[in-house]
Amino acid sequence: MPFRNSGGTPVRSGTVTFGTHIIGALGVDWATVESTAALPVPIGPGARTDHTWTVCVDAWRVPLGMHVETRDVSVRWE
């Protein structure tokens, strides 16, 4: 996931939150599991960085015939 600091000061801390949806066999969204990770900081003014995270969901939350999709991402930085 790419992050770009378009501001004039470095980003020194922050978090990224992922909303992983549990999708049923018929396409019904049964639940959303949130997970949070630290941002790859520091990110200097005008700089861009890429980072990858593994998002895990407990097996019991995903019964046979269902699947997961990470659809929502939000970022909070300082």
Side-chain angles (χ1 to χ4, degrees), residues 31-57:
T32 302
V33 178
E34 286 191 353
S35 55
T36 302
L39 281 177
V41 292
I43 304 172
R48 175 191 157 126
T49 187
D50 293 318
H51 196 79
T52 302
W53 290 271
T54 300
V55 176
C56 298
V57 177

Side-chain angles (χ1 to χ4, degrees), residues 11-36:
V11 174
R12 292 192 170 92
S13 67
T15 56
V16 57
T17 302
F18 301 97
T20 301
H21 296 255
I22 313 298
I23 309 296
L26 300 176
V28 176
D29 190 341
W30 287 97
T32 302
V33 178
E34 286 191 353
S35 55
T36 302

